[in-house]
Amino acid sequence: MHDDRSITEHRLRRVLGERIRPAVHSRPVPLTVERWEAPGEPVPVAEALAAPYGPCAAGDAWGPAWGTTWFKVTGEVPADWAGRTVEAVLDLGFDRMMPGFQCEGLVHRADGSEVKALNPYNDWVRVADAAAGGERVEWYVEAASNPVLVEHAPTAEGDRLTSGDRPLYRLARMDLTVFEAEVWELVQDLDVLAGLMPQLGEDDARRYEILRAVDSALDEVDLGDVAGTAAAARARLAGVLAAPANGSAHRISAVGHSHIDSAWLWPLRETVRKVSRTTSNMLALMDEHPEFVFAMSQAQQLDWIKTHRPGLFERVKKKIADGQFVPVGGMWVESDTNMVGGEAMARQFLYGKKFFLDEFGIETRNVWLPDSFGYTAAMPQLVRLSGAQWFLTQKICWSQVNRFPHHTFWWEGIDGTRVFTHFPPVDTYNSDLGGAQLAHAARNYREKGRGSRSLVPFGWGDGGGGPTREMLARAGRQRDLEGSPRVEIERPDAFFEKARAEYEDAPVWAGELYLELHRGTYTSQARTKQGNRRSESLLREAELWAATAAVRVPGFGYPYEDLERIWKTVLLHQFHDILPGSSIAWVHREARATYEEVREELTAITLAAQTALAGAGEEELVFNCAPHERRGVPAGGAGRPRPAEQPVTVEERHGGGHVLANGRLLVEVDGRGLIVSAYDLEEGREALAPGSAANLLQIHPDFPNMWDAWDVDAFYRNKVTDLTAVDSLEVTGAGPDSCTVTVTRSFGSSTVTQAVTLRAGAKTVDIATEVDWHETEKFLKAAFPLDVKAERTASETQFGHVYRATHTNTSWEAAKFEICAHRWIHAGEPGWGVALLNDSTYGHDVTRRIREDGGQTTTVRLSLLRAPRYPDPETDQGRHTLRFSLAPGAGIGDAVREGHAFNLPERILRGAGPVAPLLAVDHDAVVVEAVKLAEDRSGDVVVRLYESRGGRAKAVLRPAFAVAEAVESDLLERPLAGSAVGAPAPDGGVALTLRPFQIVTVRLRRG
């Protein structure tokens, strides 16, 4: 037989696209359209309904960037359409290739209630299943003219303050039509078979059976009367669509989903509308398809619906009760997990799961994080402590170098906790359930022979939209279809239960899930990252002192509502396109303002509590919020600090520069303003490699291959410029308590001033860097070449640290050329090491070389600033103050202690006398992460602590108040079956037994 495959396949593409699809909506009758331009930001629905509308017609231009146009659409169903299914086609001017990234609309009835949303693949509205004829149509379409910002080119349209006012869209089609159901079904039949055929081998008989059936069906179609011949064409396809799947066919659990970025190429206020639009469509789809299941993560997004669309929220609650609408994830937002602090990560689960429990009575069992840019090794323990059992991710498939070896596996965290994890082999969280994607999932699945099933999240996402009726048609036809995986729409938990039952002994992946891409997100938008870190620290302070005052000071009210509201604001801004710096200018401009409001409010809460605790008096008190004693002031207490044993001295250095000393460290700053010696006087050991200079600022070109704000590619290292030229160098502060040497430099269009400070009694050298940054596509680093033979470095992560190799023996290690650390990174050899501390920098890199003298230089660098141009062309332009500190002779315990101290500055207040801590722990490795009052307003004190050094610890927690009961709790402050917490002893002490990196939450009921 002659091979005529290509002829039939081409015939199918043309006939389907040019004749059959257009015939789904027949007999168009134009609707009457009027318009009203909302001034400025979106307005309430009631205001729009009452607005004065003017004339409008198809073909009219509309919509400046970020504007809102309301269209009033009216018409009447023709009398001769009686008995026919009638739909309106409302095309705002969509580009079919970009759902979620352009104009969108939400259709309202005249009473303001929502009908459904409009987007490129959902531009229809059902008028009547069987029209009587004469039905009146009156709708109001809230149309958002969001600019298209996906071209990866610099643009001023990423902020309403800089965007233009030219219309971006042209109204296309606003018609009443007859919906030809049989034609629509034929389209779905042909669509599924067209997707399946190319996935079958050229020698597979099944492929040719489908080909001949399609050819025959197309013969039946009268191109002049598609509706009249659709049924006959479908009859020719019935046989190939009825053939059952092979017994060994891969099994797919299809879960409806719409990944909606809480901010990205649109601001937060637009996400509020995107969520409502998507949700309204999902509810409408559920009404028509009782088998449809839709999973929605991010409690914040459901809370937006509750706040802004209460009627819609009530419908959501009903569908949740019915089991069709499924809350998943258990977090406040789908947050970044690399840079979010430990306590903030715990609060993501606390407030996320609490919302689902309070509003719906739902205990979510899975953590749903498909799109974050890598996953912390602390996550498994947090997942289990939140009460969840499963974890789902997707983004790891984006890694550039190494293919991840598993799709279903046990993920083991730094403490040894394991969580059952799935990584969908479909390699997208926006599946359309087409034949190519399903075949890819089956071929790609790494667990063949052991497991047989995977999960596919389907529906338009990123910018929202969700599943469509066409996707449900594909699912139904591929439920049991020869040549295709078996597809079943079901809830995520059903998939996980089945997957674990068949693959209990799945392989184990230990440690972080490092994404070999998007490493620039550790650095982009430095002010956003600084706002996050400082907000986390301020929240710690506010809760600690407010809890202490609430227990100690009669009448002091713990600010429950204020703290919860502020926490949720900070958690929202940890979303995985806000904190990583990958959103448009508008988002980061608002974030900076929000963080300033958070700072002011938390400072006021802290001051009120400290004032209540200090009492009336003139004694100068230092409040220490850090989890370790410093300068004689206990952790969580206030008092007069112990003076240092030796003052700081400063001398001129031979050859230029200055020498600072305090009896513990001797620091030389040369005539270039670089640190050329950091000598540990107590150990007799030099921290810096021979002949090298530390605090060396370096500039690299920074033009990644694609994702500007997201990526740094390894080739950036090929060219480097050391910043050694000096504008000025002087001693700017010299006294017994501290000495500072200040250097100013100019480079490119920028200037930098660095103050190098040694304090009395300290074993750290503090560096405050003020940069007036006006570079473009450049990367600023600060290098510290250390005389340390370190095979690995330790980087602080949530509730512990992770080790990473300094060598590049394998492609896995080489791919980690840029890494994330929280407050510190440590390089050491047995008996001695060095820590590099920071107050808001996350990106680092570490390299090693063997010198001619046989020693190893381990160079640790902080990534200070970048200057990408997309999606914010002015990223990080302007003034920044960045602080970091070198700690020679530091062990891991020192790094933990100094890292907290560096991020939690002392506060000075006058009062009556010392303030004793609310509680204390007698083991230096056990760190108190949070002290607060319980969320249920019972007045119980909640303490979260962890083992910080990677060893076992037995400690005693000593509350300074009577304790009736001490209970180990989960992250939601519910009793947890465990053995880490003992009953209170007669003296009030509570015994703790912790394994390495264990997190323990203790709930103390006051006696």
Side-chain angles (χ1 to χ4, degrees):
M1 182 179 291
H2 298 298
D3 185 357
D4 57 356
R5 282 182 301 112
S6 62
I7 295 173
T8 299
E9 289 167 0
H10 187 89
R11 180 190 185 195
L12 173 59
R13 284 193 297 272
R14 186 172 188 202
V15 172
L16 181 59
E18 296 183 23
R19 292 293 187 272
I20 303 178
R21 285 188 196 276
V24 169
H25 290 103
S26 69
R27 304 171 70 178
V29 175
L31 289 157
T32 300
V33 184
E34 299 171 273
R35 67 190 285 179
W36 174 69
E37 303 289 343
E41 288 296 277
V43 301
V45 175
E47 180 178 340
L49 296 180
Y53 284 76
C56 182
D60 286 359
W62 70 278
W66 306 117
T68 302
T69 301
W70 283 80
F71 295 104
K72 182 178 180 181
V73 181
T74 55
E76 182 176 309
V77 176
D80 61 352
W81 288 7
R84 306 298 296 269
T85 301
V86 178
E87 290 186 347
V89 178
L90 307 178
D91 186 342
L92 300 175
F94 297 124
D95 180 335
R96 305 291 168 183
M97 301 306 294
M98 293 184 293
F101 294 94
Q102 55 180 295
C103 60
E104 301 172 51
L106 181 58
V107 182
H108 300 79
R109 300 178 183 88
D111 63 4
S113 62
E114 303 86 3
V115 181
K116 70 183 291 289
L118 303 174
N119 61 54
Y121 289 97
N122 224 319
D123 61 357
W124 55 272
V125 183
R126 181 62 61 90
V127 176
D129 293 331
E135 290 95 334
R136 287 287 303 168
V137 171
E138 181 180 349
W139 292 320
Y140 295 79
V141 180
E142 181 186 17
S145 49
N146 300 330
V148 175
L149 300 176
V150 294
E151 293 91 348
H152 293 273
T155 175
E157 291 193 336
D159 193 334
R160 65 182 177 87
L161 300 183
T162 57
S163 58
D165 57 4
R166 64 179 177 85
L168 300 180
Y169 299 99
R170 192 168 295 278
L171 199 63
R173 180 182 180 188
M174 308 291 265
D175 296 333
L176 280 179
T177 71
V178 171
F179 176 73
E180 304 289 358
E182 197 69 16
V183 177
W184 186 87
E185 295 288 357
L186 175 60
V187 169
Q188 310 319 310
D189 292 346
L190 291 171
D191 175 77
V192 165
L193 295 174
L196 176 59
M197 272 195 298
Q199 308 308 317
L200 303 172
E202 293 184 6
D203 57 352
D204 190 329
R206 170 66 169 163
R207 179 167 183 165
Y208 292 91
E209 289 173 1
I210 295 173
L211 188 77
R212 301 308 167 207
V214 166
D215 211 21
S216 179
L218 295 178
D219 288 341
E220 290 290 341
V221 176
D222 181 344
L223 299 184
D225 182 18
V226 175
T229 54
R234 292 195 70 208
R236 296 298 183 96
L237 300 173
V240 291
L241 286 168
N246 297 328
S248 60
H250 185 66
R251 296 178 180 272
I252 283 176
S253 297
V255 179
H257 182 54
S258 180
H259 174 72
I260 304 178
D261 286 306
S262 289
W264 179 27
L265 302 180
W266 44 85
L268 289 168
R269 68 89 154 145
E270 192 56 32
T271 314
V272 173
R273 300 202 293 177
K274 283 178 173 286
V275 169
S276 295
R277 289 190 286 256
T278 296
T279 301
S280 68
N281 274 358
M282 297 307 96
L283 295 174
L285 206 56
M286 289 172 191
D287 288 340
E288 295 295 322
H289 299 272
E291 80 283 5
F292 175 47
V293 170
F294 178 75
M296 186 170 180
S297 66
Q298 306 193 70
Q300 171 68 87
Q301 295 188 359
L302 285 158
D303 191 43
W304 279 333
I305 299 174
K306 179 184 177 183
T307 301
H308 297 279
R309 299 278 181 173
L312 194 63
F313 187 71
E314 290 304 312
R315 293 169 60 198
V316 168
K317 290 179 72 171
K318 183 179 185 306
K319 291 299 185 183
I320 288 174
D322 293 344
Q324 282 187 274
F325 199 115
V326 184
V328 293
M331 298 175 72
W332 189 248
V333 295
E334 288 184 15
S335 76
D336 170 79
T337 77
N338 291 310
M339 295 169 284
V340 173
E343 186 58 28
M345 190 69 78
R347 301 303 174 94
Q348 288 282 356
F349 288 107
L350 166 62
Y351 290 118
K353 294 201 67 166
K354 185 173 182 295
F355 181 88
F356 294 143
L357 282 164
D358 291 348
E359 297 294 338
F360 314 124
I362 296 289
E363 173 86 32
T364 54
R365 300 169 63 196
N366 53 65
V367 175
W368 186 279
L369 271 180
D371 191 34
S372 293
F373 310 147
Y375 304 90
T376 171
M379 183 64 82
Q381 184 177 192
L382 290 163
V383 170
R384 297 304 299 271
L385 286 174
S386 76
Q389 300 176 36
W390 334 113
F391 185 84
L392 179 138
T393 175
Q394 179 67 69
K395 199 73 172 188
I396 296 300
C397 72
W398 285 45
S399 284
Q400 287 177 309
V401 180
N402 296 286
R403 184 182 178 192
F404 195 74
H406 313 300
H407 283 113
T408 300
F409 58 100
W410 288 96
W411 181 19
E412 181 180 309
I414 54 174
D415 72 311
T417 297
R418 292 178 177 178
V419 60
F420 194 75
T421 299
H422 184 63
F423 162 26
V426 71
D427 286 347
T428 180
Y429 46 79
N430 294 328
S431 175
D432 61 7
L433 294 184
Q437 291 181 353
L438 298 185
H440 174 75
R443 286 194 299 265
N444 191 38
Y445 183 59
R446 302 296 296 268
E447 320 304 327
K448 295 183 186 74
R450 303 297 303 277
S452 65
R453 62 185 68 244
S454 66
L455 185 148
V456 172
F458 71 96
W460 300 114
D462 289 324
T468 64
R469 60 186 179 184
E470 288 78 14
M471 295 177 191
L472 296 183
R474 289 177 195 139
R477 285 161 173 77
Q478 295 171 107
R479 181 180 178 88
D480 188 12
L481 179 63
E482 184 183 356
S484 169
R486 284 191 171 91
V487 178
E488 182 175 1
I489 294 176
E490 61 183 348
R491 297 164 62 94
D493 283 349
F495 161 77
F496 276 106
E497 288 167 353
K498 294 173 184 176
R500 180 170 174 178
E502 77 170 1
Y503 203 18
E504 177 71 30
D505 60 341
V508 176
W509 179 271
E512 68 182 326
L513 295 172
Y514 178 91
L515 179 64
E516 296 170 358
L517 194 72
H518 293 355
R519 305 167 184 89
T521 57
Y522 311 149
T523 306
S524 296
Q525 298 286 0
R527 294 185 191 90
T528 299
K529 292 170 170 57
Q530 195 167 71
N532 175 73
R533 177 78 69 84
R534 292 180 181 176
S535 296
E536 290 177 343
S537 297
L538 288 166
L539 278 161
R540 174 195 178 97
E541 286 190 83
E543 287 187 333
L544 169 65
W545 301 123
T548 305
V551 173
R552 292 264 178 80
V553 180
F556 185 89
Y558 188 79
Y560 291 104
E561 289 79 11
D562 290 339
L563 288 170
E564 179 174 338
R565 172 177 48 79
I566 296 169
W567 262 118
K568 288 177 178 177
T569 297
V570 173
L571 299 179
L572 167 59
H573 287 79
Q574 292 173 340
F575 179 75
H576 65 252
D577 275 308
I578 302 180
L579 179 53
S582 47
S583 287
I584 55 174
W586 188 346
V587 174
H588 293 289
R589 172 173 58 80
E590 289 191 329
R592 292 191 291 272
T594 298
Y595 284 131
E596 179 58 25
E597 293 170 1
V598 165
R599 185 194 65 79
E600 291 176 358
E601 194 165 3
L602 290 174
T603 299
I605 291 172
T606 295
L607 180 60
Q610 290 177 335
T611 300
L613 289 165
E618 290 302 315
E619 183 174 346
E620 188 174 274
L621 303 174
V622 170
F623 280 76
N624 176 21
C625 181
H628 302 90
E629 174 270 336
R630 55 182 172 185
R631 297 201 296 154
V633 179
R640 300 189 64 179
R642 179 179 61 242
E645 295 180 3
Q646 287 187 245
V648 183
T649 62
V650 59
E651 299 176 354
E652 294 293 321
R653 177 179 176 273
H654 179 70
H658 306 277
V659 179
L660 310 178
N662 66 357
R664 304 189 73 190
L665 291 179
L666 187 147
V667 179
E668 295 186 38
V669 179
D670 73 1
R672 301 169 297 171
L674 302 177
I675 299 173
V676 292
S677 176
Y679 193 79
D680 182 348
L681 293 168
E682 294 174 335
E683 297 293 332
R685 172 78 182 260
E686 173 61 58
L688 305 183
S692 66
N695 191 33
L696 173 63
L697 297 179
Q698 298 178 305
I699 286 278
H700 295 272
D702 184 17
F703 190 65
N705 283 345
M706 183 173 179
W707 300 88
D708 287 13
W710 292 259
D711 285 350
V712 289
D713 289 326
F715 54 74
Y716 85 87
R717 291 179 175 177
N718 296 348
K719 185 175 182 180
V720 60
T721 301
D722 295 343
L723 303 182
T724 58
V726 176
D727 295 345
S728 65
L729 177 68
E730 58 183 331
V731 176
T732 54
D737 293 331
S738 68
C739 287
T740 299
V741 176
T742 299
V743 58
T744 300
R745 312 180 194 279
S746 302
F747 59 96
S749 301
S750 306
T751 58
V752 59
T753 298
Q754 291 191 290
V756 180
T757 300
L758 185 65
R759 293 175 287 108
K763 206 171 179 182
T764 58
V765 185
D766 298 339
I767 301 157
T769 300
E770 295 187 6
V771 187
D772 191 8
W773 180 247
H774 296 285
E775 304 307 299
T776 298
E777 295 169 349
K778 295 290 192 293
F779 199 1
L780 180 64
K781 293 260 188 176
F784 291 81
L786 308 175
D787 189 13
V788 176
K789 189 180 189 307
E791 298 301 313
R792 60 183 186 174
T793 56
S795 297
E796 188 189 34
T797 190
Q798 298 90 346
F799 300 105
H801 55 268
V802 292
Y803 288 106
R804 300 184 181 100
T806 60
H807 57 75
T808 55
N809 284 359
T810 71
S811 59
W812 294 89
E813 290 144 355
K816 295 181 182 180
F817 59 81
E818 184 79 4
I819 57 176
C820 183
H822 284 207
R823 287 167 286 217
W824 55 265
I825 184 171
H826 181 270
E829 56 192 46
W832 198 83
V834 181
L836 194 58
L837 319 168
N838 73 82
D839 80 337
S840 58
T841 295
Y842 295 91
H844 296 75
D845 74 285
V846 181
T847 54
R848 64 195 287 269
R849 69 178 183 88
I850 302 300
R851 306 187 300 266
E852 290 185 2
D853 65 5
Q856 176 180 315
T857 298
T858 302
T859 300
V860 180
R861 298 197 302 170
L862 297 100
S863 303
L864 301 182
L865 292 170
R866 298 184 65 218
R869 301 189 64 210
Y870 176 81
D872 177 3
E874 298 295 319
T875 300
D876 281 331
Q877 300 299 297
R879 305 191 69 88
H880 302 265
T881 299
L882 304 165
R883 296 172 60 246
F884 39 94
S885 184
L886 181 69
I892 294 292
D894 300 310
V896 173
R897 181 181 62 255
E898 297 292 349
H900 277 98
F902 198 63
N903 282 265
L904 297 165
E906 300 168 335
R907 293 186 184 271
I908 299 174
L909 207 66
R910 294 191 179 276
V915 177
L918 186 63
L919 49 86
V921 180
D922 67 356
H923 197 302
D924 198 49
V926 178
V927 172
V928 174
E929 182 75 1
V931 178
K932 62 187 290 291
L933 296 193
E935 295 291 320
D936 63 5
R937 313 306 201 248
S938 64
D940 292 356
V941 175
V942 174
V943 186
R944 189 151 21 253
L945 36 78
Y946 69 101
E947 196 289 317
S948 65
R949 299 183 189 174
R952 295 181 181 274
K954 290 188 176 181
V956 177
L957 174 66
R958 297 195 180 279
F961 54 90
V963 174
E965 183 182 30
V967 177
E968 184 175 359
S969 303
D970 67 7
L971 298 183
L972 276 70
E973 301 170 6
R974 304 173 297 192
L976 186 68
S979 58
V981 178
D987 64 358
V990 177
L992 306 172
T993 304
L994 283 77
R995 66 178 182 271
F997 297 131
Q998 184 177 2
I999 305 165
V1000 173
T1001 303
V1002 185
R1003 182 166 178 151
L1004 302 169
R1005 182 163 62 85
R1006 288 188 272 164

